[in-house]
Amino acid sequence: MNGQYDTIVIGVFAVCLIVWLFIGLRSWMNRPIPVSLAELQLNENIQDSPALSLLEANGYDVISGKMKVPLAFETDDSVLYSRLFIDYVAEREDARYLVKTSRRRQPIELSGPAIRDRFLPYLLLYPGCEGLLYVDLEDSDIIVIRLMDYQEDVYDGEDMD
């Protein structure tokens, strides 16, 4: 009789293990594949500009020129099209960065909401990149923008808009 209970326990354990593996495999298969910069089609045509000189002077190796990323959005009864522009893709110490340069007509305010509204699409579009480099040509400065993991003790909730 004791041997029969051992067989039942091992059988229940085996069934639980098989169900657990099946559920884990199914969720793994349905998980979206993150887009990485390795899959990004780089533009070999790199045009000379003051931003390029500033990046190279600060130790960045520019590996791609201006790129257009097409986007399509499906609404109730139509498809809407748009695009995002990336000025450069740069590398430094095996880390890749998307690069946006400053525009006189679109000055940037260094605040949380302004950074979110202006650069969050780029940071979410290619999660494999280390961050985004904002090249301020007027101040000859490079600002590194990275998307941080949310931590409850960092955000106090008073910055709502």
Side-chain angles (χ1 to χ4, degrees), residues 16-50:
C16 290
L17 183 65
I18 290 171
V19 168
W20 179 69
L21 286 174
F22 175 74
I23 291 172
L25 181 65
R26 195 174 80 191
S27 69
W28 179 71
M29 294 292 284
N30 291 332
R31 189 176 314 147
I33 298 171
V35 178
S36 69
L37 281 176
E39 299 168 9
L40 183 63
Q41 295 294 325
L42 300 177
N43 181 3
E44 308 258 336
N45 183 15
I46 302 172
Q47 296 179 351
D48 195 26
S49 73

Side-chain angles (χ1 to χ4, degrees), residues 41-103:
Q41 295 294 325
L42 300 177
N43 181 3
E44 308 258 336
N45 183 15
I46 302 172
Q47 296 179 351
D48 195 26
S49 73
L52 180 65
S53 303
L54 186 60
L55 285 165
E56 290 175 346
N58 282 285
Y60 293 98
D61 182 29
V62 177
I63 60 172
S64 175
K66 183 172 276 239
M67 297 183 307
K68 179 172 57 172
V69 180
L71 302 171
F73 303 96
E74 184 177 342
T75 60
D76 289 335
D77 56 352
S78 64
V79 176
L80 305 173
Y81 299 96
S82 185
R83 59 192 168 270
L84 287 174
F85 291 97
I86 299 170
D87 294 326
Y88 297 102
V89 176
E91 282 185 332
R92 183 180 190 184
E93 299 170 2
D94 293 330
R96 286 193 176 179
Y97 298 89
L98 301 177
V99 179
K100 289 295 292 175
T101 57
S102 63
R103 306 277 190 260

Side-chain angles (χ1 to χ4, degrees), residues 80-150:
L80 305 173
Y81 299 96
S82 185
R83 59 192 168 270
L84 287 174
F85 291 97
I86 299 170
D87 294 326
Y88 297 102
V89 176
E91 282 185 332
R92 183 180 190 184
E93 299 170 2
D94 293 330
R96 286 193 176 179
Y97 298 89
L98 301 177
V99 179
K100 289 295 292 175
T101 57
S102 63
R103 306 277 190 260
R104 283 189 181 177
R105 294 183 182 181
Q106 297 176 331
I108 186 73
E109 175 187 341
L110 290 178
S111 68
I115 297 293
R116 174 201 62 213
D117 293 344
R118 184 93 174 264
F119 300 121
L120 184 62
Y122 297 100
L123 296 170
L124 294 177
L125 187 61
Y126 298 109
C129 70
E130 182 67 25
L132 185 132
L133 302 174
Y134 179 72
V135 180
D136 189 349
L137 295 174
E138 290 187 21
D139 294 338
S140 295
D141 192 21
I142 298 174
I143 300 168
V144 180
I145 302 169
R146 291 185 182 94
L147 187 61
M148 294 177 51
D149 290 333
Y150 171 74

